[in-house]
Amino acid sequence: MPETSPAVEKPLSAPQKALRKMGLLRSVDLSLHLPYRYEDETRIVKLRDVRDGDVAQIEGEVRRCDVAYRPRRQLQVVLDDGSDTCTLRFFNFYPNMKKMLEAGQRVRVRGEVRGGFMGRTMMHPSVSVAGAPLSEALTPVYPSAASLPQAYLRKAVQGGLERALREGAFSETLPADMQPRGIWPLAQALRFLHHPPPDTPLATLEDRSHPAWCRLKAEELLAQQLSQMRAKRERDALRAPVLPVAGGGVLLGLRAALPFELTGAQVRVGQEIAADLASQVPMHRLLQGDVGSGKTVVAALAAAQAMDAGWQCALMAPTEILAEQHFRKLVQWIEPVLPPGCRVAWLTGSQKKKERQLMNEAIADGSALLVVGTHAVIQQDVQFNRLGLAIIDEQHRFGVEQRLTLRRKTQQAGQADGVQEPHMLMMSATPIPRTLAMAHYADLDVSTLDELPPGRTPVVTRLIADSRRAELVQRISAQIEQGRQVYWVCPLIEESEALDLTNATETHRQLSEALNADPKKPVLVGLLHSRMPVAEKKAVMDLFTRGDMAVLVSTTVIEVGVDVPNASLMVIEHAERFGLSQLHQLRGRVGRGAAASACVLMYATGEVGRLSETARERLRAMVDTADGFEIARRDLEIRGPGEFLGARQSGAAMLRFADLQTDVQWLEWARRVAPQMLDRHPQLAETHLHRWLGSRHDYLKA
Ligand code: ADP
Ligand code: MG
């Protein structure tokens, strides 16, 4: 297989296509495609020594070979290896198999041995002639695809590995003084993992604790740290506008207009950001804070600092409802204190063309000092006059590409003053566990709001079975009587939006009916789901925000940033289907005012009438703790990192070999070594990066 495509393209075979689809193009990539288990074809064992369930290879003589018809048509073969006998069963068989397995033949078979009352059996073992030479190494089994037979893949990997080794693709990149003691050379580790010698304890390969695995994990984590730190250094060399902490009119006006005192955490984090903005090194900061910790104000203060220096600021949120909430709040706080002729602009996909045009003009001529919106902000037709600060709310909802596009809006403006980059502030309500932040956000500075504004009443969380709906309705009525509002969140059914909808519509109908039993006291129950037109969503949200709607039934967990302090009860149906961090974010919608608040996690009792033990334990974490970090940590344990990194995080950033739960020591090592390597051995760092990321970049672009 040539490395580069030949001049005349031949159509690819199915296995070749599968290889390409799996990103297995370069010999390096093939070599790094590692087995997930092994088969032992290095020895023949005696039936007597085989335990129930073992996969074994045995040789013996066929005693009988018959076609049986009960319970269904099958070939039944009795094999005797001198120590015991075993019945082989084949449901699909060819005439030549009958021949190969005739009585008196000696054969080698391999498969899982089951010991039953009727004696040992093997279903569909693989069959070959007895006496053939045995393998010298354990046989690797690779992750594969349906159209890619194991034998083909094995050959491709073997070929790739040999080529890569011959070409020196796995030469040592770790300088001698940076190598951890006892670490294996990479070439040796790879050779070993593809063909472990027969005496290798399989457990150390399977749990990846073997030194050969350690080398791969260390390599991978190092590549990841190198790439992030290199990106950071490249960015640091660019120029962002200097936004002094002068305390100009907008900032002072905003401070005066805030209806509350900042929390200690908001003050501290605000200072960290203010200092970043005052430097010409582009800020690249993640502001993380639990739901309700007050990130919006911090963002507004940063925006004010930018505007006071005469620069524009953009705030992008993942949904219209969120964007609009920000917009309303910021208009209220900021517009009165802006210099004359300046305004806050608003951009969304659903906007009328005319309005959009007006906004775009104001953005282009610079009179829109602050621009709030959805993805619309990064569209081509939006041209900033001088973008100095870009803020992204719920940043994990955006992909790498979208963040980049926003950054480029500064360059596109063809800035005077030699400014190349805006400052970036990314916000997230999902606290990222420490190891994950270390691994995947190594190029980010992180600020944490670790304190909630005062006056919040803790939310009481309860688990109840969904058979107790009637009680719930009473409870909801009681809340409404006291003038409070209620959220009712319906389950997300990932496979089918249509099902979501039916479920939510039905719940909405039932609740409306149950709550409107007394015609003299009408109760407005609203419905919000993902398929509704934006305008309708907005209308519903408006009613709820203004307090004119008592109950909001919703499937859209998307709008988790909404802020309605008067809502004091949240019911989450089928809570067992949500991730813990999601539940935590949802729960953060209540308990924002002074009233005692509650969150009811309703679980389906299902056919057996109870929740599985693990599901219950998971939900119990929600009852036990209100600490977003603790919940995030448990979620990481249970669900892996996908939830935090976002679905659209580029594949290049994901780890294949290292596991952040178990490999913290290697992560710490990589973090220590990466900067030294960039400083002292840039060439080796480059080689290392290319080996690990080379084709994945091309692959992602394709
Ligand atoms: P989140 O961090 O989840 O985005 P928000 O910025 O929406 O939180 O703030 C949640 C609520 O708390 C808002 O109603 C906001 O006005 C209020 N808030 C923010 N900071 C304070 C504070 N220091 N004191 C009192 N209330 C605050
Ligand atoms: Mg928010």
Side-chain angles (χ1 to χ4, degrees):
M1 222 182 309
E3 290 286 62
T4 48
S5 19
V8 185
E9 295 263 355
K10 268 199 269 170
L12 295 178
S13 67
Q16 279 170 331
K17 275 192 205 143
L19 279 180
R20 173 165 296 202
K21 205 159 160 212
M22 290 167 75
L24 301 178
L25 293 170
R26 303 179 310 167
S27 50
V28 168
D29 301 317
L30 283 161
S31 312
L32 293 176
H33 191 64
L34 294 181
Y36 70 99
R37 65 178 181 89
Y38 300 89
E39 287 180 350
D40 188 354
E41 293 173 315
T42 64
R43 54 206 168 120
I44 306 288
V45 293
K46 284 291 172 197
L47 273 170
R48 186 183 50 218
D49 302 327
V50 173
R51 286 163 313 171
D52 187 20
D54 279 357
V55 173
Q57 183 161 253
I58 53 181
E59 269 185 20
E61 192 176 317
V62 176
R63 291 273 168 257
R64 297 176 45 183
C65 177
D66 311 293
V67 177
Y69 292 90
R70 286 226 181 98
R72 52 187 267 221
R73 186 167 177 271
Q74 55 182 280
L75 188 67
Q76 272 185 10
V77 177
V78 177
L79 191 71
D80 184 345
D81 79 342
S83 74
D84 200 353
T85 61
C86 178
T87 307
L88 320 179
R89 292 179 201 280
F90 302 88
F91 291 119
N92 299 308
F93 57 95
Y94 306 101
N96 65 347
M97 273 175 76
K98 261 165 82 179
K99 194 138 202 176
M100 195 171 176
L101 291 164
E102 257 170 17
Q105 296 281 20
R106 283 192 62 79
V107 291
R108 179 182 296 173
V109 297
R110 214 192 111 70
E112 187 180 321
V113 181
R114 288 267 163 219
F117 178 65
M118 308 288 286
R120 298 172 190 279
T121 60
M122 269 171 136
M123 303 290 282
H124 284 267
S126 62
V127 184
S128 53
V129 286
L134 288 164
S135 311
E136 279 166 13
L138 300 176
T139 309
V141 181
Y142 295 101
S144 189
S147 53
L148 185 58
Q150 226 8 267
Y152 186 98
L153 180 55
R154 229 171 246 160
K155 252 207 193 113
V157 169
Q158 177 62 28
L161 179 64
E162 276 162 20
R163 235 179 6 256
L165 289 172
R166 215 169 36 238
E167 290 161 0
F170 297 117
S171 61
E172 187 56 77
T173 46
L174 287 183
D177 59 332
M178 294 183 190
Q179 291 181 18
R181 192 179 317 176
I183 192 137
W184 282 31
L186 180 59
Q188 182 193 344
L190 283 171
R191 235 186 242 123
F192 184 92
L193 290 175
H194 286 291
H195 304 287
D199 56 350
T200 312
L202 278 178
T204 63
L205 294 182
E206 273 153 22
D207 72 9
R208 303 190 170 184
S209 61
H210 193 277
W213 266 113
C214 291
R215 172 69 200 220
L216 274 138
K217 294 169 170 189
E219 282 264 325
E220 176 179 49
L221 287 164
L222 180 60
Q224 192 203 35
Q225 294 296 310
L226 283 173
S227 91
Q228 291 187 43
M229 287 184 190
R230 189 179 57 173
K232 180 168 170 56
R233 287 178 180 204
E234 282 168 6
R235 213 172 41 233
D236 286 355
L238 297 172
R239 264 203 67 190
V242 174
L243 312 170
V245 206
V250 183
L251 192 58
L252 292 179
L254 172 60
R255 285 237 174 91
L258 286 182
F260 43 69
E261 290 276 313
L262 295 179
T263 64
Q266 282 170 324
V267 171
R268 174 176 49 76
V269 166
Q271 283 166 351
E272 288 167 6
I273 295 169
D276 281 1
L277 294 177
S279 148
Q280 68 161 37
V281 176
M283 173 171 79
H284 207 63
R285 190 172 280 279
L286 175 67
L287 167 56
Q288 60 177 3
D290 214 339
V291 275
S293 57
K295 295 183 287 294
T296 316
V297 187
V298 175
L301 291 168
Q305 187 173 337
M307 294 188 276
D308 274 334
W311 289 81
Q312 286 172 298
C313 172
L315 171 58
M316 182 162 78
T319 68
E320 290 225 19
I321 289 179
L322 262 180
E324 198 188 328
Q325 286 227 342
H326 284 317
F327 177 67
R328 277 206 210 140
K329 207 164 246 179
L330 293 172
V331 163
Q332 187 194 336
W333 285 343
I334 285 178
E335 212 154 60
V337 297
L338 283 181
C342 291
R343 59 173 304 183
V344 181
W346 162 241
L347 276 183
T348 74
S350 67
Q351 216 157 20
K352 296 237 166 58
K353 222 173 160 187
K354 189 84 200 294
E355 193 190 0
R356 170 82 173 243
Q357 218 158 23
L358 276 175
M359 295 294 174
N360 276 348
E361 279 162 24
I363 296 167
D365 70 20
S367 61
L369 270 185
L370 176 58
V371 181
V372 182
T374 58
H375 297 82
V377 173
I378 51 174
Q379 298 313 305
Q380 192 115 58
D381 62 329
V382 182
Q383 300 278 348
F384 283 85
N385 185 279
R386 39 199 279 124
L387 177 63
L389 170 63
I391 303 173
I392 302 183
D393 195 16
E394 306 283 340
Q395 67 91 24
H396 58 285
R397 292 272 187 66
F398 292 95
V400 176
E401 263 319 305
Q402 291 165 315
R403 289 196 287 256
L404 260 178
T405 313
L406 187 53
R407 271 172 66 189
R408 289 201 196 101
K409 290 279 175 199
T410 295
Q411 283 167 19
Q412 280 167 7
Q415 280 333 306
D417 322 349
V419 165
Q420 300 154 304
E421 281 270 305
H423 294 287
M424 298 273 290
L425 179 63
M426 287 156 275
M427 305 200 283
S428 173
T430 307
I432 299 162
R434 190 177 135 278
T435 50
L436 213 57
M438 273 166 63
H440 293 278
Y441 293 101
D443 64 334
L444 279 186
D445 296 310
V446 179
S447 292
T448 306
L449 286 176
D450 51 6
E451 181 186 349
L452 292 179
R456 299 272 163 84
T457 32
V459 179
V460 177
T461 302
R462 287 189 50 205
L463 286 184
I464 72 162
D466 65 359
S467 49
R468 290 166 57 192
R469 272 168 195 255
E471 273 171 61
L472 257 181
V473 171
Q474 276 177 16
R475 207 163 152 180
I476 291 173
S477 287
Q479 290 293 311
I480 297 171
E481 285 278 316
Q482 293 170 32
R484 302 279 165 215
Q485 289 166 278
V486 178
Y487 292 100
W488 182 295
V489 181
C490 291
L492 258 185
I493 301 168
E494 271 171 22
E495 312 85 69
S496 160
E497 270 187 54
L499 273 182
D500 274 359
L501 194 52
T502 328
N503 184 306
T505 317
E506 184 53 24
T507 303
H508 174 249
R509 195 187 59 73
Q510 287 176 5
L511 265 180
S512 297
E513 208 175 279
L515 292 170
N516 280 293
D518 180 355
K520 275 180 289 187
K521 288 192 224 153
V523 172
L524 189 55
V525 180
L527 174 64
L528 193 71
H529 60 77
S530 50
R531 287 217 193 151
M532 250 152 79
V534 173
E536 212 173 302
K537 274 193 201 173
K538 249 184 213 156
V540 172
M541 239 6 253
D542 274 350
L543 283 170
F544 193 71
T545 310
R546 282 205 308 266
D548 294 337
M549 180 181 279
V551 183
L552 179 62
V553 177
S554 163
T555 61
T556 37
V557 270
I558 303 165
E559 327 294 0
V560 285
V562 295
D563 184 23
V564 180
N566 189 46
S568 57
L569 173 62
M570 172 172 287
V571 178
I572 304 178
E573 225 181 302
H574 276 293
E576 75 278 4
R577 293 192 189 157
F578 293 85
L580 290 184
S581 292
Q582 253 179 331
L583 288 175
H584 179 65
Q585 286 214 12
L586 283 170
R587 178 171 63 180
R589 301 307 106 209
V590 290
R592 302 197 142 209
S597 298
C599 176
V600 174
L601 302 178
M602 204 163 35
Y603 56 87
T605 43
E607 284 149 27
V608 285
R610 63 197 186 90
L611 200 59
S612 83
E613 212 28 66
T614 41
R616 191 194 292 269
E617 194 186 316
R618 221 165 65 79
L619 288 182
R620 200 160 289 138
M622 295 297 302
V623 178
D624 291 347
T625 176
D627 175 352
F629 278 89
E630 174 59 19
I631 287 170
R633 201 186 55 70
R634 294 208 201 173
D635 220 19
L636 178 65
E637 260 172 37
I638 299 165
R639 289 159 65 97
E643 169 113 340
F644 300 92
L645 297 177
R648 275 177 296 181
Q649 197 76 16
S650 88
M654 300 301 283
L655 292 165
R656 285 194 286 166
F657 302 131
D659 173 342
L660 296 177
Q661 304 276 3
T662 53
D663 301 325
V664 178
Q665 51 153 349
W666 289 114
L667 177 58
E668 280 165 352
W669 168 82
R671 263 164 74 89
R672 214 171 46 241
V673 168
Q676 298 171 22
M677 208 160 148
L678 286 172
D679 287 338
R680 308 212 310 257
H681 306 276
Q683 202 48 52
L684 287 174
E686 222 25 70
T687 310
H688 191 90
L689 274 170
H690 183 72
R691 172 187 296 161
W692 281 86
L693 302 175
S695 78
R696 287 234 235 160
H697 284 321
D698 302 345
Y699 179 48
L700 283 171
K701 271 187 230 134

